[in-house]
């Protein structure tokens, strides 16, 4: 199979296949990305779902404290009772309308707890203003959370400014806050995820879900809680390796089906091509076979006609004439068969040249001798200009075949010119043989086409084209195989063919 | 006829009054409040120091009355270190203790390692088989999220939290809390906050790996019990004792307010957390137990006085929620002091029982100092403290005719001896801590 066809076939199979697989891979990559996106979204949704009840609870706590702090009498006993009976309140404080400390009472004995509280809130007593944010234009803030750090622990105060001008606040117990939030968090979670709650110091307050691995990975998603616990955060850790889902079977199926189809198609094309090639080969070998079959009887005809000619007496003109015709025609047939054989061989790239020491002069003379009766009959005058007898490496049969074609063409198409000239010359290792006639010449648009296989010049003047159309094609092929070429030269009238051969000088055969 | 009626009427009257008097003298369904000075008669001049013991003794439930229903959350450590024998015994101890509960009671079981698992959510003790199954499913492995375990346990309790129920978390741990807040201060704060809701946490430390400071703080601030269990096989017994305590609670939400009269200065309360503001001392307890005495030992400064003078020292008001009558009982006492110029009078009037308790409390407090010194590596100083305490105890044993003090002195001597035994240090410390706790809270076991 010719390499060009093989490559084309390979491309036909590979290219779509490659494109197919590439787009399938691309599709899977896109799916992965989409999955990751969805997972990331899912993680955030999970965290948000966990965080929501915490935010609600904190808001409720705030509201409950607001209502208590808003209505409680600000006396020492009442505030102490509040601290004693409210589990999530560690201490209470109150400022009067001038911002002076009202509770813990400045002029009464304090409990140890209250003294500790004053110590913790030292900064606050230096500057009460840090308790509440600067009021925006026209807005008055009458309640809020105040967070501060004592040591590295975060503390919270919920404060309310009341209508009676007093500011009453409650300090939350940090341990109780943590415990209440832990109590709200679930036990179960997706088994391939570990969820954690960390406080402001990064301490894990609580974790739930999958088993804790020895080396927990970095969290895949983080969500801080809402103010005032914004320093706390929820973490989502993927602990099981995120198994990328296997590509859907249908995709795999389609891809493999596609590939199989491609291969089947390629196989079919290959088989079809091979069949074609086989058939062509068979045709060519048939032609070969036929040519060979034709040659044998032809050789016999020539041989016996020669024998018969020898038997004839000198004065038997008519039989001699008849034999001449038989011989001429059988030679013509021979030349035709040689052309066909050569053509068939050239089609199969099996045409070969075997140069041997020979003389071009002899070859030309021999050819002309064969054609003498025909040329005489056609009234063509022959002129030759041949060099001295040099011996060169020439494939005599091939050159003879070329000359046969050229001279035969002159006989067929240029007989009206009445003249045939053959001239041979040498230039270095190249031999040139020029065959010139005085016929109608060849129209300029046909100058290259005449060398194409099966092409015949249709000259309406002389009738439908004669010949097989393969003569010049074979002749050129032979010339080129001989290291030369066959060209039609530009002439004013008639046609002039130039045959060049690579024919280095050689020693004559002993 | 008339004299006969008169006779029988007066007989009936006498019988009736006697009965009335008798029942008044021995209140069947009320706690008994005692308030007494160690030295009711002090030397003139002054000011001087004195001890006031305020004791509440729980009544026994009347035989025809049912005990108060209980609401218990058992919080079990299932960290890796609990594997094997420990977790097996813990499971069985829990199951056996629950046998003592009945359908009025509520139980929940929470287990914790890295995270928390609610094995048995708060439920009435009706389907025992299901509860046993859940407990038997308990397996060890992981680290110790003690704080989270207690939080979730308390959360379970809140589902059935009621004032006339005894609400208790029983925490079992064998290791150091390493997930979540783990400082004694944090656990103490949690304990105090739970006590405000009427929840007490009893802490049971198993083996030698737990933090006794954390466990005693948590129990102390929430008014629960504390136990040190060396071998897992003892767990069943401890659980039994604890449940016994829980089932014998007769009063909750106990408030004791001591108002000192002008000139009388409260110095400190030994063994318990108290709120002292000026002249008022306030002690809260979560519960009192039938037949058990819990007291507050207050050290006061008695102002200067003249011989023959008598004055009011302080008034004591105690109130609690009576679980039998569902009503709040209020009791009051007065403490008086008088002055003399004769030392023999002081001696003769000394309340030896009160003084014995006072000395015990003072010495107990002191021995905590010894533990601190030992922590700092000052072995000799620690030993010295203990030896001095032992000496004080011996002297008091004689002075107050109290053989218990003699026993205590011997124990203290033994502790002093063992103090430099490095290998046993951990076990000693845990044992000491437990003993100190037991004494200062009058724990029943």
């Amino acid at each position: 199979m010719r390499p060009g066809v093989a490559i084309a076939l390979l491309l036909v199979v590979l290219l779509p296949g490659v494109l197919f697989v590439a787009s399938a891979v691309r599709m899977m990559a896109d799916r992965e990305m989409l999955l990751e996106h969805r997972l990331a979204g899912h993680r955030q949704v999970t965290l948000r779902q966990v965080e929501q009840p915490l935010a609600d609870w904190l808001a409720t706590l705030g509201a409950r404290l607001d209502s208590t702090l808003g209505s409680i009498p600000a006396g020492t006993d009442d505030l102490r009772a509040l601290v004693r009976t409210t589990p999530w309140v560690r201490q209470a404080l109150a400022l009067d309308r001038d911002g002076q400390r009202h509770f813990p009472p400045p002029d009464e004995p304090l409990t140890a707890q209250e003294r500790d509280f004053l110590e913790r809130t030292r900064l606050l007593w230096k500057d009460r203003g840090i308790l509440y944010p600067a009021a925006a234009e026209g807005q008055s803030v009458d309640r809020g959370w105040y967070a501060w750090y004592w040591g590295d622990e975060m503390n919270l105060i919920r404060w309310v400014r009341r209508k009676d001008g007093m500011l009453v606040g409650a300090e939350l117990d940090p341990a109780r806050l943590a415990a209440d939030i832990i109590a709200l968090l679930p036990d179960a979670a997706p088994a391939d995820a570990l969820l954690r709650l960390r406080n402001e110091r990064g301490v894990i307050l609580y974790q739930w879900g999958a088993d804790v691995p020895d080396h927990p990975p970095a969290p895949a998603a983080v969500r801080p809680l809402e103010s005032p616990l914004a320093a706390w955060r929820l973490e989502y850790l993927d602990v099981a390796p995120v198994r990328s889902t296997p590509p859907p079977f249908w995709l795999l199926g389609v891809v493999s089906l596609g590939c199989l189809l491609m291969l089947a198609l390629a196989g079919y094309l290959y088989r079809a091509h091979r069949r074609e090639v086989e058939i062509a080969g068979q045709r060519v070998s048939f032609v070969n076979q036929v040519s060979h079959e034709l040659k044998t009887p032809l050789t016999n005809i020539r041989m016996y006609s020669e024998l018969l000619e020898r038997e004839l007496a000198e004065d038997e003109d008519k039989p001699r004439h008849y034999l001449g015709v038989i011989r001429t025609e059988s030679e013509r047939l021979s030349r035709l068969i040689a052309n066909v054989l050569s053509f068939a061989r050239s089609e199969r790239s099996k045409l070969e040249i075997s140069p041997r020491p020979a003389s071009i002069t002899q070859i030309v003379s021999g050819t002309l001798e064969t054609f003498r009766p025909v040329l005489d009959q056609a009234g063509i005058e022959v002129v030759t200009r041949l060099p001295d007898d040099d011996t060169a490496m020439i494939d005599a049969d091939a050159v003879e075949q070329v000359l046969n074609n050229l001279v035969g063409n002159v006989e067929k198409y240029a007989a009206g010119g009445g003249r045939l000239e053959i001239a041979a010359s040498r230039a270095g290792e190249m031999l040139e043989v020029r065959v010139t006639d005085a016929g109608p010449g060849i129209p300029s648009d046909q100058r290259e086409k005449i060398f194409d296989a099966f092409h015949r010049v249709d000259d309406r003047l002389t009738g439908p084209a004669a010949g097989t159309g393969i003569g010049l094609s074979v002749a050129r092929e032979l010339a080129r195989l001989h290291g030369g070429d066959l060209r039609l030269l530009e002439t004013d009238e008639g046609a002039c063919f130039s045959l060049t051969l690579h024919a280095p000088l050689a020693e004559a055969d002993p | 006829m008339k004299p006969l009626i008169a006779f029988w009427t007066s007989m009936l009257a006498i019988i009736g009054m006697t009965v009335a008097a008798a029942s008044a003298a021995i209140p069947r369904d009320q706690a008994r409040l005692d308030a007494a000075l160690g030295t009711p008669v002090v030397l003139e001049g002054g000011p001087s120091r004195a001890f006031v013991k305020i004791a509440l003794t729980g009544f026994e439930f009347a035989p025809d009355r049912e005990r108060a229903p209980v609401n218990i959350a058992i919080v079990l450590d299932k960290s890796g270190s609990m594997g094997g024998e420990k977790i097996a015994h813990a499971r069985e101890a829990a199951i056996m203790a629950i046998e003592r509960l009945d359908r009025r009671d509520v139980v929940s079981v929470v287990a914790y390692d890295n995270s928390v698992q609610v094995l048995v959510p708060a439920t009435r003790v009706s389907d025992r088989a299901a509860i046993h199954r859940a407990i038997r499913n308990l397996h060890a492995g992981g680290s110790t999220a003690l704080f989270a375990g207690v939080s979730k346990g308390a959360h379970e309790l809140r589902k059935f939290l009621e004032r006339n129920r005894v609400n208790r978390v029983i925490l079992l741990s064998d290791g150091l809390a390493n997930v979540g807040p783990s400082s004694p201060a944090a656990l103490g704060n949690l304990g105090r906050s739970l006590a405000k809701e009427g929840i007490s946490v009893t802490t049971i430390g198993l083996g030698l790996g737990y933090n006794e400071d954390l466990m005693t703080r948590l129990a102390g601030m929430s008014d629960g019990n504390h136990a040190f269990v060396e071998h897992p096989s003892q767990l069943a017994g401890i659980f039994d004792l604890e449940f016994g305590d829980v089932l014998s609670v007769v009063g909750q939400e106990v408030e004791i307010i001591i108002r000192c009269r002008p000139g009388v200065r409260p110095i400190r309360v030994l063994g318990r957390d108290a709120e002292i503001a000026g002249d008022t001392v306030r002690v809260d307890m979560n519960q009192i137990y039938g037949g058990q005495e819990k007291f507050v030992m207050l050290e006061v400064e008695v102002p200067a006085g003249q011989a023959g003078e008598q004055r009011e020292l302080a008034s004591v008001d105690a109130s609690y929620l009576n679980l039998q009558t569902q009503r709040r009982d209020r009791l009051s006492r007065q403490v008086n002091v008088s002055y003399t110029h004769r030392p023999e009078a002081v001696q003769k009037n000394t309340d030896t029982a009160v003084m014995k308790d006072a000395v015990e409390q003072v010495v107990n407090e002191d021995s905590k100092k010894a533990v601190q010194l030992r922590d700092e590596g000052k072995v000799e100083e620690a030993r010295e403290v203990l030896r001095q305490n032992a000496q004080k105890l011996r002297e008091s044993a004689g002075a107050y005719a109290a053989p218990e003090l003699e026993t205590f002195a011997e124990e203290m001597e033994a502790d002093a001896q063992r103090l430099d035994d490095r290998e046993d240090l951990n076990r000693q410390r845990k044992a000491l801590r437990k003993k100190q706790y037991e004494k200062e809270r009058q724990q029943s076991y």
Side-chain angles (χ1 to χ4, degrees):
Chain A
M1 185 155 86
R2 279 207 290 270
V5 178
I7 291 170
L9 202 61
L10 214 66
L11 283 174
V12 162
V13 174
L14 282 181
L15 239 97
V18 163
L19 279 171
F20 211 14
V21 170
S23 53
V25 166
R26 179 74 183 280
M27 190 149 80
M28 289 207 317
D30 281 346
R31 272 183 91 252
E32 280 280 334
M33 211 164 66
L34 192 70
L35 222 74
E36 178 55 38
H37 237 271
R38 239 185 252 143
L39 260 173
H42 163 73
R43 285 187 205 117
Q44 280 299 337
V45 165
T46 307
L47 287 180
R48 212 175 316 148
Q49 280 175 343
V50 168
E51 198 244 332
Q52 194 54 44
L54 305 184
D56 291 342
W57 174 83
L58 207 56
T60 311
L61 179 65
R64 210 185 301 168
L65 283 170
D66 287 349
S67 106
T68 308
L69 294 172
S71 57
I72 191 170
T76 304
D77 290 333
D78 304 292
L79 288 172
R80 282 194 177 135
L82 173 73
V83 169
R84 205 180 300 127
T85 55
T86 319
W88 42 87
V89 170
R90 178 147 72 154
Q91 262 306 329
L93 71 88
L95 305 177
D96 65 22
R97 52 178 69 224
D98 302 320
Q100 294 306 309
R101 190 175 102 221
H102 180 83
F103 184 88
D107 46 6
E108 286 174 36
L110 298 179
T111 65
Q113 306 285 333
E114 284 156 6
R115 283 196 293 272
D116 286 343
F117 173 68
L118 290 178
E119 182 60 23
R120 280 198 298 278
T121 51
R122 230 180 0 194
L123 289 174
L124 177 59
W125 303 116
K126 277 213 197 118
D127 175 15
R128 320 277 190 290
I130 61 178
L131 187 57
Y132 30 86
E137 292 284 325
Q139 254 190 334
S140 65
V141 183
D142 64 348
R143 67 195 60 211
W145 290 103
Y146 170 64
W148 81 104
Y149 280 81
W150 177 250
D152 54 356
E153 199 182 42
M154 186 178 74
N155 293 293
L156 283 177
I157 284 183
R158 180 74 184 168
W159 59 268
V160 167
R161 182 177 286 289
R162 315 196 306 186
K163 290 206 186 60
D164 62 5
M166 296 216 76
L167 184 141
V168 185
E171 183 198 23
L172 294 189
D173 186 311
R176 177 53 182 249
L177 183 65
D180 281 345
I181 286 188
I182 289 171
L184 287 173
L185 294 170
D187 301 341
D192 55 357
L194 178 65
L195 276 76
R196 286 180 163 169
L197 174 66
R198 284 190 194 265
N199 72 0
E200 70 278 4
R201 281 174 291 164
V203 171
I204 299 171
L205 284 178
Y206 186 62
Q207 57 192 1
W208 71 106
D211 287 335
V212 182
D214 291 329
H215 301 287
V222 175
R223 189 187 173 88
L225 297 189
E226 281 194 18
S227 176
L229 289 178
W232 290 17
R233 59 191 187 276
L234 286 166
E235 293 177 342
Y236 190 112
L237 286 78
D238 289 318
V239 288
V242 180
R243 267 172 282 109
S244 49
T245 55
F249 283 125
W250 67 264
L251 189 65
L252 280 176
V254 168
V255 170
S256 8
L257 209 67
C259 286
L260 279 172
L261 229 80
M262 287 281 115
L263 282 170
L265 195 65
Y268 173 74
L269 282 174
Y270 178 71
R271 295 261 304 277
H273 180 89
R274 272 198 66 165
R275 174 138 303 147
E276 285 290 318
V277 168
E278 228 176 87
I279 289 171
Q282 276 176 354
R283 237 185 257 130
V284 170
S285 61
F286 170 71
V287 165
N288 248 12
Q289 202 64 18
V290 164
S291 300
H292 272 292
E293 291 295 302
L294 288 173
K295 254 188 162 167
T296 317
L298 205 55
T299 314
N300 281 339
I301 291 172
R302 282 171 68 173
M303 194 171 75
Y304 280 97
S305 65
E306 265 171 39
L307 284 173
L308 191 58
E309 200 171 8
R310 282 206 213 116
E311 293 293 313
L312 284 177
E314 285 283 335
D315 55 351
E316 290 176 278
D317 284 337
K318 261 212 177 129
R320 272 189 188 271
H321 173 68
Y322 292 152
L323 272 174
V325 172
I326 289 169
R327 219 181 45 201
T328 312
E329 292 306 307
S330 58
E331 273 161 12
R332 191 195 294 276
L333 201 57
S334 175
R335 285 199 295 275
L336 216 62
I337 290 168
N339 263 354
V340 171
L341 251 179
S342 295
F343 180 74
R345 282 215 195 95
S346 99
E347 283 288 289
R348 285 198 335 225
S349 314
K350 285 223 171 109
L351 201 56
E352 282 170 357
I353 294 288
S354 354
R356 285 221 154 65
S359 158
I360 188 69
T361 309
Q362 275 182 359
I363 294 166
V364 173
S365 304
T367 306
L368 284 173
E369 191 57 42
T370 323
F371 270 91
R372 185 185 298 286
V374 177
L375 291 171
D376 286 343
Q377 183 94 13
I380 298 172
E381 187 195 336
V382 178
V383 175
T384 60
R385 281 210 292 275
L386 302 169
D388 291 336
D389 219 340
D390 287 332
T391 313
M393 298 299 282
I394 303 173
D395 183 339
D397 291 328
V399 175
E400 194 178 314
Q401 195 170 354
V402 174
L403 289 173
N404 282 343
N405 275 306
L406 291 173
V407 175
N409 281 350
V410 171
E411 182 229 336
K412 277 199 288 257
Y413 304 108
R419 187 185 153 85
L420 169 67
E421 187 183 308
I422 301 186
S425 61
R426 170 174 283 278
E429 294 201 330
M430 301 298 283
L431 267 181
E432 191 193 5
V433 179
R434 284 206 188 167
V435 178
T436 318
D437 69 67
I442 291 163
S444 50
D445 60 335
Q446 310 251 8
R447 292 171 63 81
E448 272 304 311
K449 285 195 190 155
I450 53 173
F451 292 101
D452 289 343
F454 311 118
H455 183 90
R456 288 167 297 162
V457 177
D458 199 5
D459 189 350
R460 291 287 166 191
L461 286 175
T462 55
T468 55
I470 61 174
L472 283 176
S473 156
V474 171
R476 180 188 251 184
E477 186 70 30
L478 287 169
R480 284 185 175 161
L481 281 171
H482 212 297
D485 201 2
L486 179 64
R487 288 195 308 279
L488 176 64
L489 299 180
E490 288 220 27
T491 47
D492 292 332
E493 57 164 17
C496 174
F497 283 87
S498 161
L499 166 69
T500 45
L501 303 166
H502 179 248
L505 291 169
E507 293 292 315
D509 264 343
Chain B
M1 218 31 191
K2 251 196 169 168
L4 217 59
I5 298 169
F7 172 72
W8 280 116
T9 320
S10 47
M11 278 319 294
L12 274 168
I14 292 168
I15 292 169
M17 278 194 295
T18 318
V19 168
S23 46
I26 315 164
R28 290 296 302 284
D29 53 1
Q30 205 177 56
R32 194 179 75 214
L33 175 65
D34 296 307
L37 259 175
T39 48
V41 179
V42 299
L43 272 181
E44 64 182 348
S48 54
R49 297 284 180 92
F51 291 97
V52 183
K53 176 180 167 187
I54 300 103
L56 260 181
T57 308
F59 55 91
E60 304 274 8
F61 259 72
D64 59 333
R65 297 288 203 104
E66 285 183 331
R67 58 158 174 87
V70 306
N71 177 14
I72 298 187
I74 304 178
V75 179
L76 296 174
D77 184 340
K78 70 174 180 83
S79 61
S81 48
M82 281 287 286
E85 223 192 1
K86 288 183 181 176
I87 196 81
H89 276 106
R91 283 196 296 252
E92 291 313 313
I95 289 174
M96 271 174 43
I98 292 172
E99 285 301 302
R100 297 181 63 172
L101 305 179
D102 60 39
R103 309 172 84 250
R104 294 166 295 154
D105 305 316
V106 174
V107 76
S108 52
V109 182
V110 171
Y112 65 93
D113 55 11
N114 306 303
S115 49
V116 181
Q117 244 181 296
V118 179
L119 291 178
V120 180
T123 178
R124 284 186 195 276
V125 184
S126 43
D127 185 359
R128 282 177 205 277
I131 296 172
H132 294 175
R133 253 198 315 272
I135 295 176
R136 289 222 165 85
N137 257 337
L138 186 56
H139 297 287
S143 44
T144 309
L146 190 146
F147 188 93
V150 176
S151 303
K152 288 274 184 180
H155 179 66
E156 291 300 313
L157 273 186
R158 276 182 213 116
K159 294 179 185 173
F160 285 87
L161 196 68
E162 268 173 65
R163 298 174 71 223
N164 56 356
R165 242 190 250 277
V166 181
N167 305 289
R168 182 158 303 198
V169 174
I170 301 175
L171 169 69
L172 172 68
S173 175
D174 83 320
L176 298 175
N178 52 19
V179 177
S182 55
S183 62
L187 271 301
N189 281 341
L190 180 61
R192 185 179 332 113
S193 139
L194 291 176
K196 292 184 190 177
E197 289 175 287
I199 298 176
S200 292
V201 182
T202 287
T203 58
I204 302 175
L206 176 61
L208 299 177
Y210 69 94
N211 180 340
E212 59 271 21
D213 293 335
L214 185 156
M215 298 285 257
T216 48
R217 250 326 239 294
L218 177 55
M221 296 301 250
S222 67
D223 199 23
N225 293 326
H226 171 67
F228 166 34
V229 177
E230 267 190 274
H231 305 287
S233 51
Q234 298 164 325
L235 268 178
I238 292 292
F239 263 73
D240 204 46
L241 289 169
E242 173 60 19
F243 268 64
D245 243 20
V246 175
L247 295 171
S248 70
V249 171
V250 294
Q252 296 207 108
E253 297 174 32
V254 184
E255 284 173 10
I256 299 177
I257 303 177
I258 305 152
R259 291 186 183 84
C260 298
R261 292 287 166 251
V264 181
R265 188 169 66 90
I267 297 169
R268 61 174 173 166
V269 168
L270 292 162
R272 287 185 188 274
D273 290 298
E275 193 188 276
I276 303 180
D279 55 11
T280 312
V281 179
R282 213 194 146 104
V283 178
D284 288 335
M285 293 184 221
N286 257 15
Q287 58 264 311
I288 49 174
Y289 305 87
Q292 283 185 43
E293 179 191 72
K294 302 279 184 186
F295 61 78
V296 173
M297 187 62 71
L298 172 65
E299 187 176 4
V300 296
E301 189 189 70
V302 180
Q306 302 267 22
E309 203 186 318
Q310 193 188 30
R311 65 196 315 167
E312 224 179 86
L313 194 75
S315 70
V316 177
D317 292 298
S319 67
Y320 61 91
L321 175 66
N322 187 320
L323 289 182
Q324 187 167 272
T325 62
Q326 310 282 319
R327 285 197 307 264
R328 198 158 184 88
D329 291 347
R330 284 173 211 286
L331 308 164
S332 301
R333 288 287 180 272
Q334 202 97 288
V335 181
N336 297 326
V337 68
S338 41
Y339 297 81
T340 182
H341 62 268
R342 293 181 293 124
E344 318 86 68
V346 172
Q347 183 111 353
K348 202 170 77 163
N349 286 293
T350 300
D351 188 332
T352 52
V354 171
M355 286 315 293
K356 166 195 153 292
D357 285 333
V359 168
E360 233 181 2
Q361 289 300 316
V362 169
V363 162
N364 204 32
E365 195 70 35
D366 261 357
S367 60
K368 287 193 197 168
K369 227 183 294 174
V371 173
Q372 201 177 325
L373 286 167
R374 183 64 186 84
D375 285 346
E376 291 165 13
K378 300 175 183 161
V379 182
E380 270 315 311
E381 290 160 46
R383 197 182 278 160
E384 194 48 41
V385 168
L386 288 180
R387 289 237 166 86
Q388 280 174 6
N389 283 347
Q391 183 65 16
K392 208 183 298 182
L393 283 168
R394 285 218 178 80
E395 287 165 8
S396 308
Y400 307 124
E404 306 96 330
L405 293 184
E406 189 64 50
T407 322
F408 194 9
E410 274 163 32
E411 281 174 20
M412 198 143 288
E413 279 283 357
D415 289 336
Q417 291 279 58
R418 282 193 291 259
L419 212 52
D420 63 354
D421 182 349
R422 297 184 140 278
E423 284 158 20
D424 209 30
L425 176 63
N426 190 9
R427 200 196 62 79
Q428 274 177 55
R429 198 176 186 285
K430 286 174 165 58
L432 258 177
R433 268 287 193 221
K434 196 275 175 182
K435 223 182 331 187
Q436 285 160 3
Y437 190 86
E438 200 186 309
K439 285 228 187 288
E440 70 192 8
R441 298 304 176 105
Q442 298 91 53
Q443 186 169 311
S444 68
Y445 67 88

